[in-house]
Amino acid sequence: MKLDLDAANNVLSGLRPFPVAVTTVDGGFANGLMSLSAGAASIIPEAPRATISLTKYNKTHDMVASSGIFVMHLLTAQEEYLDASLHILRTLGGSSGRDGDKMGTLRTRTGITGAPVLLDAHSYVEARVCASLDIQESTVFVGDVVAAGTLCGGERLRVGPAWGKLPAEWIEQYETNHVPQLESARSHRFGHPQAG
């Protein structure tokens, strides 16, 4: 039986409603990215855990693997802060940390882990990695939450509405930049690049 890729991707994309900003620091260098693969990793209310899945292509992946810390942020859809949310999304999702500083234009403070907390985010959790799982093209990091906070109220920003507010030229550049990441993921998974 042939896998219905459209159906599979439709189901799985429905599990990723929120763009998540992930930041970290390693060796004094701060970096971050946008992820759609993040969530809660524990049902014990007094011992929360967070999980992120980062592709091995990303510099942030290597930094989290080395430092063992990350901050996971949700963005706000609240109208007066929406521009700041979209700035975070464009900044962390629009280029690679291998190309230079991505954090310089973002408002941050140093969290208790030493990683940057984005002051224009909706909310955040800081975590120390307690386990990881290598899944070929990515690593799933699970972290014990050591700090958390809500920075502004309102609804959390969802992927669909966020994408609809981004400039067409930014989306085109994002898709161009995504090609080598996808090729790297295919190479890790299959041993060689696969056609899209």
Side-chain angles (χ1 to χ4, degrees):
M1 181 172 153
K2 184 171 168 51
L3 172 62
D4 184 340
L5 288 174
D6 289 337
N9 288 322
N10 185 52
V11 170
L12 295 173
S13 68
L15 300 174
R16 301 174 177 168
F18 300 107
V20 173
V22 176
T23 59
T24 192
V25 67
D26 185 43
F29 180 77
N31 196 39
L33 53 64
M34 295 304 302
S35 175
L36 292 176
S37 300
S42 176
I43 63 165
I44 304 171
E46 68 273 20
R49 284 182 166 164
T51 180
I52 55 173
S53 177
L54 303 179
T55 62
K56 293 178 180 176
Y57 178 82
N58 291 304
K59 182 174 182 70
T60 302
H61 169 280
D62 298 345
M63 293 174 66
V64 171
S66 174
S67 70
I69 57 175
F70 64 88
V71 186
M72 190 173 86
H73 307 78
L74 291 169
L75 305 179
T76 184
Q78 195 168 329
E79 194 60 41
E80 60 265 39
Y81 301 113
L82 186 57
D83 285 345
S85 290
L86 295 176
H87 177 64
I88 292 169
L89 198 155
R90 287 191 313 268
T91 301
L92 296 183
S95 63
S96 170
R98 298 183 198 286
D99 299 329
D101 177 32
K102 291 169 68 170
M103 303 300 293
T105 66
L106 301 175
R107 291 186 340 110
T108 65
R109 69 168 169 77
T110 302
I112 68 165
T113 60
V117 173
L118 301 173
L119 296 176
D120 292 319
H122 175 280
S123 49
Y124 71 95
V125 294
E126 289 188 69
R128 294 190 190 279
V129 174
C130 61
S132 63
L133 174 65
D134 185 318
I135 54 171
Q136 297 166 317
E137 75 265 27
S138 303
T139 303
V140 177
F141 297 99
V142 178
D144 289 318
V145 173
V146 296
T150 300
L151 301 169
C152 69
E155 293 292 316
R156 295 172 292 179
L157 185 64
R158 293 180 168 268
V159 171
W163 209 251
K165 294 182 183 300
L166 293 168
E169 61 273 7
W170 184 90
I171 293 173
E172 183 178 327
Q173 184 62 49
Y174 169 85
E175 290 173 352
T176 299
N177 292 344
H178 190 65
V179 170
Q181 181 176 355
L182 190 54
E183 289 172 353
S184 172
R186 287 180 175 129
S187 179
H188 278 97
R189 172 87 73 90
F190 304 116
H192 54 84
Q194 299 280 310

